Coordinates of all heavy atoms in Angstrom, one line a residue:
M1 N 20.4 -4.3 -22.2 CA 19.6 -3.8 -21.2 C 18.5 -3.0 -21.7 O 17.4 -3.0 -21.2 CB 20.6 -3.2 -20.4 CG 19.9 -2.6 -19.1 SD 19.4 -3.9 -17.9 CE 18.7 -3.0 -16.6
K2 N 18.8 -2.2 -22.7 CA 17.8 -1.2 -23.2 C 16.6 -2.0 -23.8 O 15.5 -1.6 -23.5 CB 18.3 -0.4 -24.4 CG 17.3 0.6 -24.9 CD 18.0 1.5 -26.0 CE 17.0 2.6 -26.4 NZ 17.0 2.8 -27.9
H3 N 16.8 -3.1 -24.6 CA 15.6 -3.9 -25.0 C 14.9 -4.5 -23.9 O 13.7 -4.6 -24.0 CB 16.2 -5.0 -26.0 CG 16.7 -4.3 -27.2 ND1 15.9 -3.8 -28.2 CD2 18.0 -4.3 -27.7 CE1 16.7 -3.3 -29.2 NE2 18.0 -3.6 -28.9
Y4 N 15.6 -5.0 -22.8 CA 14.9 -5.6 -21.6 C 14.0 -4.6 -21.1 O 12.8 -4.9 -20.8 CB 16.0 -6.1 -20.7 CG 15.2 -6.4 -19.4 CD1 14.7 -7.8 -19.2 CD2 15.2 -5.5 -18.3 CE1 14.0 -8.1 -18.2 CE2 14.5 -6.0 -17.2 CZ 14.0 -7.2 -17.1 OH 13.4 -7.6 -15.9
F5 N 14.5 -3.3 -20.9 CA 13.7 -2.2 -20.3 C 12.5 -2.0 -21.2 O 11.3 -1.8 -20.7 CB 14.4 -1.1 -20.1 CG 13.9 0.0 -19.1 CD1 13.5 -0.4 -17.8 CD2 13.7 1.2 -19.5 CE1 13.0 0.4 -16.9 CE2 13.1 2.2 -18.6 CZ 12.8 1.7 -17.3
E6 N 12.7 -1.9 -22.5 CA 11.6 -1.5 -23.6 C 10.5 -2.7 -23.4 O 9.4 -2.3 -23.4 CB 12.1 -1.3 -24.9 CG 12.9 0.1 -25.0 CD 13.6 0.1 -26.4 OE1 13.6 -0.9 -27.1 OE2 14.0 1.2 -26.7
D7 N 11.0 -3.9 -23.4 CA 10.1 -5.0 -23.3 C 9.3 -5.0 -22.1 O 8.1 -5.1 -22.0 CB 10.9 -6.3 -23.4 CG 11.4 -6.6 -24.9 OD1 11.0 -5.8 -25.8 OD2 12.2 -7.3 -25.0
Y8 N 10.0 -4.7 -21.0 CA 9.3 -4.7 -19.7 C 8.3 -3.6 -19.7 O 7.2 -3.7 -19.2 CB 10.5 -4.3 -18.7 CG 10.1 -4.4 -17.2 CD1 9.4 -5.6 -16.7 CD2 10.5 -3.3 -16.3 CE1 9.2 -5.6 -15.3 CE2 10.0 -3.4 -15.0 CZ 9.5 -4.5 -14.5 OH 9.2 -4.6 -13.2
L9 N 8.7 -2.3 -20.1 CA 7.7 -1.4 -20.1 C 6.5 -1.5 -21.1 O 5.5 -1.1 -20.9 CB 8.4 0.1 -20.4 CG 9.4 0.6 -19.3 CD1 9.9 1.9 -19.7 CD2 8.7 0.5 -17.9
G10 N 7.0 -2.1 -22.3 CA 5.9 -2.4 -23.2 C 4.9 -3.3 -22.9 O 3.9 -3.5 -23.6
S11 N 5.1 -4.1 -21.8 CA 4.1 -5.2 -21.4 C 3.0 -4.5 -20.7 O 2.0 -5.4 -20.3 CB 4.8 -6.1 -20.6 OG 5.2 -5.6 -19.3
Q12 N 2.8 -3.2 -20.4 CA 1.8 -2.6 -19.6 C 0.6 -2.4 -20.5 O 0.8 -1.9 -21.7 CB 2.3 -1.4 -19.0 CG 3.5 -1.5 -18.1 CD 3.6 -2.7 -17.2 OE1 2.5 -2.8 -16.5 NE2 4.5 -3.6 -17.2
P13 N -0.7 -2.6 -20.1 CA -1.7 -2.3 -21.0 C -2.0 -0.8 -21.1 O -1.5 0.0 -20.3 CB -3.0 -2.9 -20.2 CG -2.5 -2.9 -18.9 CD -1.0 -3.2 -18.8
A14 N -2.5 -0.4 -22.1 CA -2.8 1.2 -22.4 C -3.9 1.5 -21.4 O -4.7 0.7 -21.0 CB -3.3 1.3 -23.8
L15 N -3.8 2.8 -20.9 CA -4.8 3.3 -19.9 C -6.1 3.4 -20.5 O -6.3 4.1 -21.6 CB -4.2 4.6 -19.5 CG -5.2 5.2 -18.4 CD1 -5.4 4.4 -17.1 CD2 -4.7 6.6 -17.9
D16 N -7.1 2.8 -19.8 CA -8.6 3.0 -20.2 C -9.3 3.1 -18.9 O -9.5 2.2 -18.2 CB -9.1 1.9 -21.0 CG -10.6 2.1 -21.4 OD1 -11.2 3.1 -20.9 OD2 -11.1 1.3 -22.1
T17 N -9.4 4.4 -18.4 CA -9.9 4.8 -17.0 C -11.3 4.2 -16.9 O -11.8 4.0 -15.8 CB -9.9 6.2 -16.8 OG1 -10.5 6.9 -17.7 CG2 -8.3 6.7 -16.7
A18 N -12.1 4.0 -18.0 CA -13.4 3.4 -17.9 C -13.4 2.0 -17.3 O -14.4 1.5 -16.8 CB -14.2 3.3 -19.2
D19 N -12.2 1.3 -17.4 CA -12.2 -0.1 -16.8 C -11.9 0.0 -15.3 O -11.8 -1.1 -14.7 CB -11.0 -0.8 -17.5 CG -11.5 -1.3 -18.8 OD1 -12.7 -1.1 -19.3 OD2 -10.5 -1.5 -19.7
L20 N -11.7 1.2 -14.8 CA -11.2 1.3 -13.4 C -12.5 1.7 -12.4 O -12.8 2.8 -12.5 CB -10.2 2.3 -13.1 CG -8.8 2.0 -13.4 CD1 -7.9 3.1 -13.2 CD2 -8.2 0.8 -12.6
D21 N -13.0 0.6 -11.7 CA -14.1 1.0 -10.8 C -13.4 1.6 -9.6 O -12.2 1.4 -9.3 CB -14.8 -0.4 -10.5 CG -15.6 -0.8 -11.7 OD1 -16.1 0.0 -12.6 OD2 -15.6 -2.1 -11.8
P22 N -14.4 2.2 -8.7 CA -13.8 2.6 -7.4 C -13.0 1.6 -6.6 O -13.6 0.4 -6.5 CB -15.0 3.3 -6.6 CG -15.9 3.7 -7.8 CD -15.7 2.6 -9.0
G23 N -11.9 1.8 -6.2 CA -11.1 0.9 -5.4 C -10.1 0.1 -6.3 O -9.3 -0.6 -5.8
D24 N -10.3 0.2 -7.6 CA -9.4 -0.6 -8.5 C -8.2 0.2 -8.8 O -8.1 1.5 -8.7 CB -10.0 -0.7 -9.9 CG -11.1 -1.8 -9.8 OD1 -11.2 -2.7 -8.8 OD2 -11.9 -2.1 -10.8
A25 N -7.1 -0.4 -9.3 CA -5.8 0.2 -9.6 C -5.0 -0.6 -10.5 O -5.3 -1.8 -10.6 CB -5.0 0.5 -8.3
G26 N -4.1 0.0 -11.1 CA -3.1 -0.8 -12.1 C -2.0 0.0 -12.6 O -2.1 1.2 -12.6
V27 N -1.1 -0.7 -13.3 CA -0.1 -0.1 -13.8 C -0.4 0.0 -15.4 O -0.7 -1.1 -16.0 CB 1.2 -0.7 -13.6 CG1 2.4 -0.1 -14.4 CG2 1.6 -0.6 -12.1
Y28 N -0.3 1.1 -16.0 CA -0.7 1.3 -17.4 C 0.4 2.1 -18.1 O 1.1 2.9 -17.4 CB -2.1 2.0 -17.5 CG -3.2 1.4 -16.8 CD1 -3.5 1.7 -15.5 CD2 -3.8 0.4 -17.5 CE1 -4.5 1.0 -14.9 CE2 -5.0 -0.3 -16.9 CZ -5.2 0.1 -15.5 OH -6.2 -0.7 -14.9
E29 N 0.5 1.9 -19.5 CA 1.3 2.7 -20.2 C 0.6 3.8 -20.8 O -0.4 3.8 -21.4 CB 1.8 1.8 -21.3 CG 3.0 2.5 -22.2 CD 3.6 1.6 -23.2 OE1 3.7 0.2 -23.0 OE2 4.0 2.0 -24.2
V30 N 1.3 5.0 -20.5 CA 0.8 6.3 -21.0 C 1.8 7.1 -21.6 O 2.8 7.4 -20.9 CB 0.1 7.1 -20.0 CG1 -0.6 8.4 -20.4 CG2 -1.1 6.4 -19.1
D31 N 1.8 7.4 -22.9 CA 2.9 8.2 -23.6 C 4.2 7.5 -23.4 O 5.3 8.1 -23.0 CB 2.8 9.5 -23.2 CG 1.6 10.3 -23.7 OD1 1.0 9.8 -24.6 OD2 1.2 11.3 -23.0
D32 N 4.2 6.2 -23.5 CA 5.5 5.4 -23.2 C 6.1 5.5 -21.8 O 7.2 5.0 -21.5 CB 6.7 5.9 -24.2 CG 6.3 5.7 -25.6 OD1 5.6 4.7 -25.9 OD2 6.7 6.5 -26.4
D33 N 5.2 5.9 -20.9 CA 5.6 5.8 -19.4 C 4.7 4.9 -18.6 O 3.5 5.1 -19.0 CB 5.5 7.3 -18.8 CG 6.7 8.1 -19.4 OD1 7.7 7.7 -19.6 OD2 6.3 9.4 -19.7
P34 N 5.2 4.1 -17.8 CA 4.4 3.3 -16.9 C 3.8 4.2 -15.7 O 4.5 4.8 -15.0 CB 5.3 2.2 -16.4 CG 6.7 2.8 -16.4 CD 6.6 4.0 -17.5
L35 N 2.5 4.3 -15.6 CA 2.0 5.0 -14.6 C 1.1 3.9 -13.6 O 0.5 3.1 -14.0 CB 0.9 6.0 -15.2 CG 1.4 6.9 -16.1 CD1 0.3 8.2 -16.3 CD2 2.7 7.6 -15.6
A36 N 1.2 4.3 -12.2 CA 0.4 3.7 -11.4 C -0.9 4.5 -11.0 O -0.8 5.6 -10.5 CB 1.3 3.5 -10.1
V37 N -2.0 3.9 -11.5 CA -3.3 4.7 -11.5 C -4.3 4.0 -10.4 O -4.5 2.8 -10.5 CB -3.9 4.8 -13.0 CG1 -5.1 5.7 -12.9 CG2 -2.8 5.4 -13.8
Y38 N -4.8 4.8 -9.6 CA -5.7 4.3 -8.6 C -7.1 5.1 -8.7 O -7.0 6.4 -8.7 CB -5.1 4.3 -7.3 CG -6.0 4.1 -6.1 CD1 -6.6 2.9 -5.9 CD2 -6.4 5.2 -5.2 CE1 -7.5 2.7 -4.8 CE2 -7.2 4.9 -4.2 CZ -7.7 3.8 -3.9 OH -8.7 3.6 -2.9
R39 N -8.2 4.6 -8.7 CA -9.4 5.2 -8.5 C -10.0 5.0 -7.1 O -10.2 3.9 -6.7 CB -10.5 4.7 -9.5 CG -11.6 5.7 -9.5 CD -12.8 5.2 -10.5 NE -12.5 5.1 -11.9 CZ -12.5 6.3 -12.6 NH1 -12.9 7.4 -12.1 NH2 -12.3 6.1 -14.0
D40 N -10.1 6.1 -6.2 CA -10.6 6.0 -4.9 C -12.0 5.8 -4.9 O -12.7 5.8 -5.8 CB -10.1 7.1 -4.1 CG -10.8 8.5 -4.5 OD1 -11.9 8.4 -5.0 OD2 -10.2 9.5 -4.2
D41 N -12.4 5.6 -3.7 CA -14.0 5.1 -3.4 C -14.9 6.2 -3.8 O -16.1 6.0 -4.1 CB -14.1 4.7 -2.0 CG -13.5 3.5 -1.6 OD1 -13.2 2.7 -2.6 OD2 -13.1 3.3 -0.4
D42 N -14.5 7.5 -4.0 CA -15.2 8.6 -4.5 C -15.2 8.9 -5.9 O -15.7 9.8 -6.4 CB -14.7 9.9 -3.8 CG -15.0 9.9 -2.3 OD1 -16.1 9.3 -1.8 OD2 -14.2 10.5 -1.5
G43 N -14.4 8.0 -6.7 CA -14.3 8.1 -8.0 C -13.0 8.8 -8.6 O -12.9 8.9 -9.8
E44 N -12.4 9.4 -7.6 CA -11.4 10.3 -8.1 C -10.1 9.4 -8.5 O -9.7 8.6 -7.8 CB -10.9 11.4 -7.0 CG -9.7 12.3 -7.4 CD -9.6 13.3 -6.4 OE1 -10.3 13.4 -5.5 OE2 -8.5 14.0 -6.6
L45 N -9.4 9.8 -9.7 CA -8.2 9.1 -10.1 C -7.0 9.7 -9.5 O -6.9 11.0 -9.3 CB -8.1 9.2 -11.6 CG -9.1 8.4 -12.4 CD1 -9.0 8.8 -13.9 CD2 -8.9 6.9 -12.2
H46 N -6.1 8.9 -9.0 CA -4.7 9.3 -8.5 C -3.7 8.6 -9.3 O -3.6 7.4 -9.5 CB -4.6 8.8 -7.1 CG -5.7 9.3 -6.2 ND1 -5.6 10.4 -5.4 CD2 -6.9 8.9 -6.0 CE1 -6.7 10.7 -4.8 NE2 -7.5 9.8 -5.1
A47 N -2.7 9.4 -9.9 CA -1.8 8.8 -10.7 C -0.3 9.2 -10.3 O -0.1 10.3 -10.0 CB -1.9 9.1 -12.2
R48 N 0.6 8.2 -10.3 CA 1.9 8.5 -10.1 C 2.8 7.7 -11.0 O 2.3 6.7 -11.6 CB 2.4 8.0 -8.6 CG 1.6 8.8 -7.5 CD 2.2 10.2 -7.4 NE 1.5 11.0 -6.3 CZ 0.5 11.8 -6.5 NH1 -0.1 11.8 -7.7 NH2 0.0 12.6 -5.5
S49 N 4.1 8.0 -11.1 CA 5.0 7.2 -12.0 C 5.1 5.7 -11.3 O 5.0 5.7 -10.1 CB 6.4 7.8 -11.9 OG 7.2 6.7 -12.5
A50 N 5.0 4.7 -12.0 CA 5.1 3.4 -11.6 C 6.6 2.9 -11.5 O 6.9 1.8 -11.0 CB 4.4 2.4 -12.5
V51 N 7.4 3.9 -11.6 CA 8.9 3.5 -11.5 C 9.3 3.8 -10.1 O 9.3 4.9 -9.7 CB 9.8 4.4 -12.6 CG1 11.2 4.0 -12.4 CG2 9.3 4.0 -14.0
C52 N 9.8 2.6 -9.5 CA 10.3 2.8 -8.1 C 11.6 3.7 -8.1 O 12.5 3.5 -8.8 CB 10.7 1.4 -7.5 SG 11.2 1.5 -5.8
P53 N 11.6 4.7 -7.2 CA 12.7 5.7 -7.2 C 13.9 5.0 -6.6 O 15.0 5.6 -6.5 CB 12.2 6.7 -6.3 CG 11.1 6.1 -5.6 CD 10.5 5.1 -6.4
H54 N 13.8 3.8 -6.0 CA 15.1 3.1 -5.6 C 15.9 2.7 -6.6 O 17.2 3.2 -6.6 CB 14.7 2.0 -4.5 CG 15.8 1.3 -3.9 ND1 16.0 -0.1 -4.0 CD2 16.9 1.7 -3.2 CE1 17.0 -0.5 -3.4 NE2 17.6 0.5 -2.9
K55 N 15.6 1.7 -7.4 CA 16.5 1.2 -8.4 C 15.8 1.0 -9.7 O 16.3 0.5 -10.6 CB 17.0 -0.1 -7.9 CG 17.9 -0.2 -6.7 CD 19.2 0.3 -7.1 CE 20.1 0.3 -5.8 NZ 21.5 0.9 -6.0
G56 N 14.5 1.5 -9.9 CA 13.9 1.6 -11.1 C 13.0 0.4 -11.5 O 12.6 0.3 -12.5
C57 N 12.6 -0.5 -10.6 CA 11.7 -1.5 -10.9 C 10.3 -0.9 -10.9 O 10.1 0.2 -10.6 CB 11.7 -2.7 -9.8 SG 13.3 -3.6 -9.7
L58 N 9.3 -1.7 -11.6 CA 8.0 -1.2 -11.6 C 7.1 -1.7 -10.3 O 7.3 -2.9 -9.9 CB 7.2 -1.6 -12.8 CG 7.6 -1.2 -14.1 CD1 6.8 -1.6 -15.3 CD2 7.8 0.3 -14.2
V59 N 6.5 -0.7 -9.7 CA 5.6 -1.1 -8.5 C 4.4 -1.9 -9.1 O 4.0 -1.8 -10.3 CB 5.3 0.1 -7.8 CG1 6.5 0.8 -7.2 CG2 4.3 1.0 -8.5
A60 N 3.7 -2.6 -8.1 CA 2.6 -3.3 -8.4 C 1.5 -2.9 -7.4 O 1.9 -2.7 -6.1 CB 2.8 -4.9 -8.6
W61 N 0.2 -3.0 -7.6 CA -0.8 -2.7 -6.7 C -1.1 -3.9 -5.8 O -1.1 -5.1 -6.1 CB -2.1 -2.4 -7.5 CG -3.3 -2.2 -6.6 CD1 -4.4 -2.8 -6.4 CD2 -3.4 -0.9 -5.8 NE1 -5.3 -2.2 -5.6 CE2 -4.7 -1.1 -5.2 CE3 -2.5 0.2 -5.5 CZ2 -5.2 -0.1 -4.2 CZ3 -3.1 1.1 -4.6 CH2 -4.3 1.0 -4.0
N62 N -1.2 -3.6 -4.5 CA -1.4 -4.5 -3.5 C -2.8 -4.1 -2.9 O -3.0 -3.3 -2.3 CB -0.4 -4.3 -2.3 CG -0.8 -5.3 -1.1 OD1 -1.8 -5.7 -0.9 ND2 0.3 -5.4 -0.3
D63 N -3.8 -5.0 -3.4 CA -5.2 -4.7 -3.2 C -5.5 -4.8 -1.7 O -6.4 -4.0 -1.2 CB -6.1 -5.6 -4.0 CG -7.5 -5.3 -4.2 OD1 -7.7 -4.0 -4.4 OD2 -8.4 -6.1 -4.0
G64 N -4.9 -5.7 -0.9 CA -5.3 -5.9 0.4 C -4.9 -4.8 1.3 O -5.5 -4.3 2.2
E65 N -3.8 -4.2 0.9 CA -3.1 -3.1 1.7 C -3.5 -1.7 1.1 O -3.2 -0.7 1.6 CB -1.6 -3.3 1.9 CG -1.2 -4.3 2.6 CD -1.5 -4.4 4.1 OE1 -1.6 -3.3 4.7 OE2 -1.8 -5.4 4.7
R66 N -3.9 -1.7 -0.1 CA -4.1 -0.4 -0.9 C -2.8 0.4 -1.0 O -2.9 1.5 -0.6 CB -5.3 0.4 -0.4 CG -6.7 -0.4 -0.6 CD -7.9 0.5 -0.5 NE -9.0 -0.1 -1.0 CZ -10.1 0.6 -1.1 NH1 -10.3 1.9 -1.0 NH2 -11.2 0.0 -1.4
S67 N -1.9 -0.4 -1.4 CA -0.5 0.3 -1.6 C 0.2 -0.1 -2.8 O -0.2 -1.2 -3.4 CB 0.3 0.0 -0.3 OG 0.6 -1.3 -0.3
W68 N 1.1 0.6 -3.3 CA 2.0 0.3 -4.4 C 3.2 -0.3 -3.8 O 4.0 0.3 -3.0 CB 2.3 1.6 -5.2 CG 1.1 2.1 -5.8 CD1 0.5 3.4 -5.4 CD2 0.4 1.7 -7.0 NE1 -0.5 3.6 -6.2 CE2 -0.6 2.6 -7.3 CE3 0.6 0.5 -7.7 CZ2 -1.6 2.4 -8.3 CZ3 -0.4 0.3 -8.8 CH2 -1.5 1.2 -9.1
D69 N 3.5 -1.6 -4.2 CA 4.6 -2.4 -3.6 C 5.5 -2.6 -4.8 O 5.2 -3.0 -5.8 CB 4.0 -3.7 -3.0 CG 3.1 -3.4 -1.8 OD1 2.8 -2.3 -1.4 OD2 2.6 -4.5 -1.3
C70 N 6.9 -2.6 -4.3 CA 8.0 -2.9 -5.3 C 8.4 -4.3 -5.2 O 8.8 -4.6 -4.0 CB 9.1 -1.9 -5.1 SG 10.4 -2.2 -6.3
P71 N 8.3 -5.1 -6.2 CA 8.7 -6.5 -6.0 C 10.2 -6.7 -5.9 O 10.7 -7.9 -5.5 CB 8.2 -7.2 -7.4 CG 8.2 -6.0 -8.2 CD 7.9 -4.8 -7.5
C72 N 11.0 -5.7 -6.2 CA 12.5 -5.9 -6.2 C 13.1 -6.0 -4.7 O 13.9 -6.8 -4.4 CB 13.2 -4.9 -7.0 SG 12.8 -5.2 -8.8
H73 N 12.8 -4.9 -3.9 CA 13.6 -4.8 -2.6 C 12.5 -4.4 -1.6 O 13.0 -4.2 -0.5 CB 14.7 -3.8 -2.8 CG 15.6 -4.0 -3.9 ND1 15.6 -3.2 -5.0 CD2 16.5 -4.9 -4.1 CE1 16.5 -3.5 -5.8 NE2 17.1 -4.8 -5.4
G74 N 11.2 -4.4 -1.9 CA 10.3 -4.3 -0.8 C 9.7 -2.9 -0.5 O 9.1 -2.8 0.5
S75 N 10.2 -1.9 -1.2 CA 9.6 -0.6 -0.9 C 8.1 -0.6 -1.0 O 7.6 -1.4 -2.0 CB 10.2 0.5 -1.7 OG 11.6 0.7 -1.3
R76 N 7.4 0.1 -0.2 CA 5.9 0.3 -0.4 C 5.6 1.8 -0.4 O 6.3 2.5 0.4 CB 5.3 -0.5 0.7 CG 5.5 -2.0 0.7 CD 4.8 -2.7 1.7 NE 3.4 -2.5 1.8 CZ 2.7 -1.8 2.8 NH1 3.4 -1.4 3.9 NH2 1.5 -1.5 2.7
F77 N 4.6 2.1 -1.1 CA 4.0 3.6 -1.2 C 2.6 3.6 -1.0 O 1.9 2.7 -1.4 CB 4.4 4.0 -2.5 CG 5.9 3.9 -2.9 CD1 6.4 2.6 -3.5 CD2 7.0 4.8 -2.7 CE1 7.7 2.4 -3.9 CE2 8.2 4.6 -3.0 CZ 8.7 3.4 -3.6
D78 N 2.0 4.7 -0.5 CA 0.6 4.8 -0.3 C 0.1 5.4 -1.7 O 0.9 5.5 -2.7 CB 0.3 5.8 0.9 CG 0.6 7.1 0.7 OD1 1.0 7.6 -0.6 OD2 0.7 7.9 1.6
V79 N -1.2 5.4 -1.7 CA -1.8 5.8 -3.0 C -1.4 7.2 -3.5 O -1.6 7.4 -4.5 CB -3.5 5.7 -2.9 CG1 -3.9 4.3 -2.7 CG2 -3.9 6.6 -1.8
G80 N -1.0 7.9 -2.6 CA -0.4 9.3 -3.0 C 1.0 9.3 -3.3 O 1.6 10.3 -3.6
G81 N 1.6 8.0 -3.3 CA 3.0 7.9 -3.8 C 4.0 8.2 -2.6 O 5.2 8.0 -2.9
E82 N 3.5 8.5 -1.4 CA 4.5 8.6 -0.3 C 5.0 7.2 0.2 O 4.3 6.3 0.2 CB 3.8 9.4 0.9 CG 3.3 10.8 0.4 CD 4.5 11.7 0.0 OE1 5.5 11.7 0.6 OE2 4.2 12.3 -0.9
V83 N 6.3 7.2 0.6 CA 6.9 6.1 1.1 C 6.4 5.6 2.4 O 6.2 6.3 3.4 CB 8.5 6.4 1.4 CG1 9.1 5.2 2.0 CG2 9.2 6.8 0.1
L84 N 6.0 4.2 2.3 CA 5.5 3.6 3.5 C 6.7 2.7 4.1 O 6.7 2.5 5.4 CB 4.3 2.6 3.3 CG 3.0 3.4 2.8 CD1 2.0 2.3 2.2 CD2 2.5 4.3 3.8
D85 N 7.4 2.0 3.3 CA 8.5 1.2 3.7 C 9.6 1.4 2.8 O 9.6 1.6 1.6 CB 8.1 -0.3 3.7 CG 7.2 -0.6 4.7 OD1 7.5 -0.3 5.9 OD2 6.1 -1.4 4.4
T86 N 10.8 1.4 3.3 CA 12.1 1.6 2.7 C 12.4 0.3 2.1 O 11.9 -0.6 2.2 CB 13.2 2.1 3.6 OG1 13.3 1.1 4.6 CG2 12.8 3.4 4.1
P87 N 13.6 0.2 1.1 CA 14.6 1.1 1.0 C 14.4 2.5 0.2 O 15.4 3.3 0.4 CB 15.9 0.3 0.4 CG 15.0 -0.7 -0.4 CD 13.7 -1.0 0.3
A88 N 13.4 2.5 -0.5 CA 13.1 3.9 -1.2 C 13.0 5.1 -0.1 O 12.5 4.7 0.9 CB 12.0 3.7 -2.1
V89 N 13.7 6.1 -0.4 CA 13.6 7.2 0.5 C 12.7 8.5 -0.1 O 12.5 9.4 0.6 CB 15.1 7.8 1.0 CG1 15.7 6.7 1.8 CG2 15.9 8.1 -0.3
H90 N 12.6 8.2 -1.4 CA 11.7 9.3 -2.1 C 10.5 8.6 -2.6 O 10.5 7.5 -3.0 CB 12.4 9.8 -3.2 CG 13.7 10.5 -2.8 ND1 13.8 11.7 -2.2 CD2 15.0 10.2 -3.0 CE1 15.0 12.0 -1.9 NE2 15.7 11.1 -2.5
G91 N 9.4 9.4 -2.6 CA 8.1 8.9 -3.2 C 8.0 8.8 -4.7 O 9.0 9.0 -5.3
L92 N 6.9 8.0 -5.1 CA 6.8 8.0 -6.5 C 6.5 9.3 -7.3 O 5.8 10.3 -6.5 CB 5.6 7.2 -6.8 CG 5.6 5.6 -6.2 CD1 4.2 4.9 -6.4 CD2 6.7 4.9 -6.8
D93 N 7.1 9.5 -8.4 CA 7.1 10.9 -9.0 C 5.6 11.2 -9.3 O 4.9 10.3 -9.8 CB 7.9 10.9 -10.3 CG 9.5 10.9 -10.1 OD1 9.8 11.2 -8.9 OD2 10.2 10.8 -11.1
D94 N 5.3 12.5 -9.2 CA 4.0 13.1 -9.7 C 3.9 13.1 -11.1 O 5.1 13.2 -11.9 CB 4.0 14.5 -9.3 CG 3.0 14.8 -8.2 OD1 2.2 14.0 -8.1 OD2 3.1 15.9 -7.5
V95 N 2.9 12.8 -11.7 CA 2.7 12.7 -13.1 C 1.3 13.3 -13.5 O 0.4 13.4 -12.4 CB 2.6 11.2 -13.7 CG1 4.0 10.7 -13.6 CG2 1.7 10.4 -13.1
S96 N 1.0 13.7 -14.6 CA -0.4 14.1 -15.0 C -1.0 13.2 -15.9 O -0.1 12.6 -16.9 CB -0.3 15.4 -15.7 OG 0.3 16.5 -14.9
L97 N -2.3 12.9 -15.9 CA -3.0 12.1 -16.8 C -3.3 12.8 -18.0 O -3.4 14.1 -17.8 CB -4.1 11.4 -16.1 CG -4.0 10.5 -15.1 CD1 -5.3 10.1 -14.4 CD2 -3.4 9.2 -15.6
P98 N -3.3 12.2 -19.1 CA -3.8 13.0 -20.4 C -5.2 13.5 -20.1 O -6.0 13.1 -19.3 CB -3.8 11.9 -21.5 CG -3.0 10.8 -20.9 CD -3.2 10.9 -19.4
D99 N -5.4 14.7 -20.8 CA -6.7 15.4 -20.8 C -7.8 14.4 -21.2 O -7.7 13.6 -22.1 CB -6.9 16.4 -21.8 CG -6.0 17.7 -21.3 OD1 -5.6 17.8 -20.1 OD2 -5.7 18.6 -22.1
G100 N -8.9 14.3 -20.4 CA -10.0 13.4 -20.7 C -9.9 12.1 -20.0 O -10.8 11.3 -20.1
S101 N -8.9 11.9 -19.2 CA -8.6 10.6 -18.5 C -9.4 10.6 -17.2 O -9.5 9.4 -16.6 CB -7.2 10.5 -18.2 OG -6.4 10.3 -19.5
D102 N -10.0 11.6 -16.7 CA -10.6 11.6 -15.4 C -12.1 11.2 -15.6 O -12.9 11.7 -14.6 CB -10.4 12.9 -14.7 CG -11.1 14.0 -15.6 OD1 -11.4 13.9 -16.8 OD2 -11.2 15.2 -15.1
T103 N -12.4 10.4 -16.4 CA -13.8 9.9 -16.4 C -14.1 8.6 -15.9 O -13.2 7.9 -15.7 CB -14.4 9.9 -17.9 OG1 -13.5 9.1 -18.7 CG2 -14.4 11.4 -18.4
Ligands
FES201 S1 13.8 -1.1 -7.0 FE1 12.0 -0.8 -5.6 S2 12.8 -1.2 -3.7 FE2 14.4 -1.4 -4.9

């Protein structure tokens, strides 16, 4: 199971915020953690843990709804990480981007 999880997390691209245009989002690996990163229409970056607090799957960006959706059991989160749809009852964890990532 540990190797599966490492392989799963290791499949995320490294964060390069220069690749994120306003309205873009993605899951990136930062310091061995998967982060859900979204750049809003004003250019501000928003980052949360990409690990769903329900059972630990990784969320994915839903471009149509501008939400983070969990493929495992259907939880959904807004760009601020707050719960939109259960079964998750807690939002995505707050995280900090490394210094210099806000460009
Ligand atoms: S692990 Fe995300 S909804 Fe269950």
Side-chain angles (χ1 to χ4, degrees):
M1 181 69 178
K2 181 179 181 215
H3 292 294
Y4 171 78
F5 195 61
E6 287 172 350
D7 289 347
Y8 186 55
L9 295 180
S11 65
Q12 309 310 310
L15 177 64
D16 182 354
T17 56
D19 289 343
L20 281 175
D21 291 327
D24 286 348
V27 174
Y28 299 93
E29 185 173 331
V30 178
D31 296 333
D32 296 327
D33 293 320
L35 303 189
V37 182
Y38 168 70
R39 187 184 295 278
D40 67 24
D41 292 336
D42 295 325
E44 185 176 346
L45 289 171
H46 304 265
R48 294 291 182 269
S49 170
V51 178
C52 178
H54 179 234
K55 298 281 185 187
C57 292
L58 292 186
V59 296
W61 179 244
N62 178 336
D63 197 42
E65 299 291 332
R66 289 194 172 194
S67 61
W68 295 106
D69 298 358
C70 182
C72 291
H73 311 105
S75 290
R76 297 178 57 243
F77 307 87
D78 68 16
V79 294
E82 298 301 314
V83 175
L84 295 172
D85 286 313
T86 59
V89 294
H90 300 290
L92 301 173
D93 284 348
D94 249 341
V95 295
S96 296
L97 290 172
D99 289 343
S101 296
D102 57 348
T103 57

